Amino acid sequence: MDVLRSVDEIRRKVQIWKNEGYSVGFVPTMGYLHEGHKSLIEKAASENDKVIVSVFVNPKQFDNKTDLETYPSNIQGDKELVENAGGDVIFAPTTAEMYPNGFATLVDIEGLDKELCGATRTGHFRGVCTVVTKLFLIVAPDRAYFGEKDFQQLAIIKRFTKDLNIPVEIVGCPIVREENGLAMSSRNSKLSLEEKRKALIIIEALNVIKEMVYQGTVDAEELKKEAVRKISTIDIAKIDYFEIVDPDTLEKIDEVREKALAATAVFIGKTRLIDNMIIGE
Ligand code: PAF
């Protein structure tokens, strides 16, 4: 499994593939790959002739220095996972390669970045939009694959890709969960066994309100209150947000009359986890 470090190298590789008439799928990641990433790479491999996986911990999307410094990494493990999942090459640039001296351009989005994760993580989505735009321009893929766990990120990427006429198809892929229901995340590796057990309260709360909707509760405030109450029974859980929103606009809704998205971010100890679920289908 080749790991290419420079923009020139990956561009040359893609050019050769395109000259051969191959389609290119792309899975952008920050590394420390898990089964969730594997499912994205497998889907990309089933829909494209060649698959590139980028591994880059993007400093511009971290609003917390410690979070950036402690972000897990394991390039050897990533290489094995990419190979087993059917990927062809890893693009793992250095920070200097992506943001050389004098770098001064940022890609910003209006509106969609204000709620949910954007409300408390200042500048986070500007960092995501900037790096993903750069990666799209460098890799020039036909299709790019993102997990629905980061539902807001996916909505934002679809929006700016359309707004900026970037010729790439954005493919959203379902959340992959551990057997007990915990959404897969590279951050799960930061949890102790006890924290992992306690983190299950997140999926439990989402399941409870989904069931409440099924039983006829439509009032979003009531649903939210129940979810917050349930999560708060765990001593080390601190809710960053819990919202019920329209899945297309991400705007808060008052009543769950049709498809709605329950989305949450919860600190379990020091680790911030996100999860979401479509309720009221
Ligand atoms: O979802 C992620 O891992 C990152 O936000 C992404 C899309 C790779 C951009 O750095």
Side-chain angles (χ1 to χ4, degrees):
M1 172 63 43
D2 282 343
V3 178
L4 304 184
R5 300 274 176 196
S6 78
V7 171
D8 284 351
E9 280 174 304
I10 191 75
R11 279 214 166 121
R12 270 201 298 276
K13 185 86 166 172
V14 174
Q15 198 51 59
I16 293 167
W17 286 341
K18 294 240 159 136
N19 290 347
E20 302 275 320
Y22 292 144
S23 59
V24 175
F26 179 41
V27 183
T29 81
M30 298 206 296
Y32 210 74
L33 306 181
H34 51 68
E35 291 296 311
H37 296 112
K38 193 169 179 208
S39 75
L40 302 181
I41 301 166
E42 284 170 346
K43 185 160 173 61
S46 73
E47 296 180 351
N48 301 274
D49 300 314
K50 298 288 178 189
V51 175
I52 299 171
V53 178
S54 66
V55 171
F56 177 62
V57 182
N58 173 34
K60 292 211 182 292
Q61 70 188 73
F62 285 79
D63 54 341
N64 177 320
K65 208 165 160 247
T66 320
D67 196 18
L68 171 63
E69 283 165 1
T70 58
Y71 201 84
S73 84
N74 174 9
I75 193 71
Q76 194 48 44
D78 292 347
K79 278 163 80 169
E80 281 161 29
L81 185 140
V82 172
E83 188 141 27
N84 291 336
D88 294 280
V89 70
I90 293 179
F91 175 48
T94 59
T95 303
E97 181 73 7
M98 290 297 276
Y99 303 119
N101 279 343
F103 183 90
T105 305
L106 295 168
V107 179
D108 219 340
I109 188 161
E110 288 183 336
L112 278 175
D113 67 333
K114 296 290 171 287
E115 302 292 338
L116 307 178
C117 289
T120 48
R121 300 189 72 191
T122 320
H124 168 68
F125 286 115
R126 189 170 46 224
V128 171
C129 292
T130 303
V131 81
V132 176
T133 302
K134 276 180 71 77
L135 289 167
F136 283 172
L137 294 175
I138 294 165
V139 171
D142 297 289
R143 295 176 198 87
Y145 297 79
F146 295 88
E148 285 173 354
K149 181 166 78 70
D150 297 274
F151 201 94
Q152 186 176 16
Q153 169 174 280
L154 176 60
I156 285 175
I157 290 171
K158 280 185 179 160
R159 183 75 254 166
F160 83 71
T161 305
K162 192 165 183 220
D163 290 351
L164 299 179
N165 302 94
I166 303 179
V168 53
E169 183 191 334
I170 306 300
V171 184
C173 306
I175 298 178
V176 178
R177 297 184 181 278
E178 292 184 8
E179 229 167 81
N180 56 19
L182 185 65
M184 295 248 181
S185 165
S186 305
R187 289 172 196 269
N188 292 355
S189 67
K190 293 182 172 186
L191 300 171
S192 67
L193 273 182
E194 177 68 355
E195 287 175 331
K196 254 192 165 182
R197 195 179 59 74
K198 291 190 168 176
L200 293 181
I201 198 67
I202 301 171
I203 182 67
E204 283 168 22
L206 288 167
N207 279 331
V208 162
I209 64 164
K210 188 177 174 128
E211 179 61 23
M212 282 172 73
V213 173
Y214 186 69
Q215 298 293 339
T217 308
V218 293
D219 185 64
E221 206 44 49
E222 196 181 330
L223 294 164
K224 187 175 151 178
K225 253 195 201 142
E226 177 54 20
V228 168
R229 188 201 60 74
K230 196 161 173 56
I231 296 171
S232 306
T233 58
I234 295 293
D235 51 352
I236 55 165
K238 190 171 148 273
I239 299 173
D240 186 4
Y241 66 79
F242 193 105
E243 298 295 352
I244 297 175
V245 299
D246 178 309
D248 297 320
T249 61
L250 301 184
E251 277 165 17
K252 289 178 199 160
I253 53 175
D254 296 331
E255 291 192 341
V256 180
R257 291 283 172 200
E258 42 193 60
K259 207 168 159 184
L261 180 83
T264 186
V266 179
F267 282 94
I268 298 292
K270 289 200 168 98
T271 309
R272 185 176 180 278
L273 302 177
I274 57 172
D275 203 346
N276 66 71
M277 189 177 276
I278 292 289
I279 56 173
E281 266 179 299

